[in-house]
Amino acid sequence: MALHCKVSNTVASTSLLGGSKRLLHLPKSYPIHCNMVSPSSTLGLGPLKLHNKVGSRLRPCRVKREENSQTTNVESISVDEDTLKQDLETAIQEENYVEAARIRDRLKELQEDNKASVLSANTRFYQAFRNGDLAAMESLWSKTGKPCCVHPGAKGITGYDDVMESWEVVWMNYEFPLLIELKDVEVHVRGEVGYVTCMEFVKTKGSSSWGAQFVSNVFEKIDGEWFICIHHASPVDI
């Protein structure tokens, strides 16, 4: 049974990640709308409650900002997938099968390179999530268009600034690093868009239970690098 609610000005909720209840104070303009699910579908943690005190200010999020010595190594690929596909079609039409085989092998290598790069971007996303590293999280999201983030049990939040603020809210009062495990990870790439699906298990310090979500992370390729543009986490009973 779904419960839809409207909350004046902002929000408040039982832990989005599993564990004890926490009161979240959000800025008056924070654009979260509750889209509650029944307690049985939130891992037995009770319904998500989101509050905001009018006139209150967001308490600074105690995030851990780590100096990441690992630079992003993105292989520069001079020939894109569409060009190779056109070349392959031309080679077949001209019955140049040796060249067609070479291009087909290059296409396969390119697709594997893209999958590896998307997986690497997904790994960096979870590293920032695990450590509560807001600076790293900010660098991983696409700033173009309208990125969208759907936290467990909540409605979608769109726009780069609002998405970043939502991570501050989710991380508020937690101690880092969080325990995060991923299972059933799959990656798919179609041209300039890639996506990862997986089961995500999150446990906070002091909690005896794990929060389980089915997650879809969508990435777009911008100037040779992969940036996350959609994060959608749906609660799963375990």
Side-chain angles (χ1 to χ4, degrees):
M1 177 180 67
L3 170 63
H4 300 275
C5 65
K6 293 176 66 178
V7 179
S8 170
N9 295 326
T10 45
V11 222
S13 155
T14 306
S15 168
L16 298 181
L17 305 179
S20 59
K21 294 183 179 178
R22 302 181 186 277
L23 183 64
L24 307 183
H25 298 285
L26 310 181
K28 186 175 180 180
S29 61
Y30 191 70
I32 289 185
H33 308 279
C34 293
N35 185 20
M36 310 281 200
V37 293
S38 63
S40 62
S41 64
T42 54
L43 312 178
L45 301 176
L48 182 69
K49 297 190 252 182
L50 298 171
H51 287 280
N52 184 46
K53 292 184 178 179
V54 177
S56 67
R57 298 182 62 187
L58 178 66
R59 290 176 291 167
C61 178
R62 296 182 297 174
V63 297
K64 178 181 179 182
R65 294 177 182 252
E66 291 190 341
E67 294 296 330
N68 189 355
S69 60
Q70 181 181 5
T71 57
T72 303
N73 296 319
V74 180
E75 182 180 357
S76 176
I77 300 172
S78 58
V79 182
D80 63 23
E81 189 173 350
D82 290 338
T83 300
L84 285 173
K85 286 180 178 178
Q86 292 173 2
D87 292 345
L88 176 60
E89 185 176 343
T90 299
I92 292 174
Q93 290 174 349
E94 295 175 352
E95 298 185 357
N96 187 347
Y97 299 119
V98 173
E99 178 66 9
R102 187 191 69 79
I103 296 172
R104 190 177 291 111
D105 289 343
R106 182 69 188 97
L107 262 174
K108 185 177 180 180
E109 291 174 2
L110 178 60
Q111 289 164 353
E112 291 304 315
D113 287 343
N114 281 333
K115 285 184 178 181
S117 296
V118 170
L119 277 176
S120 178
N122 194 67
T123 298
R124 293 193 298 276
F125 168 78
Y126 276 105
Q127 189 66 20
F129 189 173
R130 182 177 290 109
N131 291 325
D133 189 339
L134 186 61
M137 185 64 79
E138 289 172 342
S139 71
L140 296 171
W141 279 80
S142 170
K143 296 179 178 65
T144 63
K146 280 230 172 205
C148 178
C149 186
V150 183
H151 295 293
K155 199 171 182 180
I157 300 165
T158 59
Y160 178 82
D161 291 338
D162 290 334
V163 167
M164 291 305 103
E165 190 172 8
S166 77
W167 282 106
E168 288 193 86
V169 173
V170 169
W171 288 339
M172 190 180 294
N173 296 327
Y174 289 113
E175 294 183 32
F176 299 97
L178 302 173
L179 295 176
I180 300 180
E181 294 184 5
L182 304 181
K183 295 184 178 180
D184 304 326
V185 178
E186 294 188 10
V187 58
H188 307 271
V189 177
R190 300 289 184 273
E192 302 297 296
V193 175
Y195 64 96
V196 175
T197 60
C198 63
M199 280 296 301
E200 169 194 290
F201 299 89
V202 182
K203 187 176 182 181
T204 59
K205 287 187 177 181
S207 173
S208 59
S209 61
W210 288 80
Q213 291 76 233
F214 180 81
V215 173
S216 299
N217 289 329
V218 181
F219 299 83
E220 60 178 334
K221 195 174 186 180
I222 303 172
D223 297 330
E225 291 193 49
W226 292 95
F227 294 89
I228 188 167
C229 56
I230 298 174
H231 169 71
H232 190 145
S234 298
V236 175
D237 288 327
I238 55 173

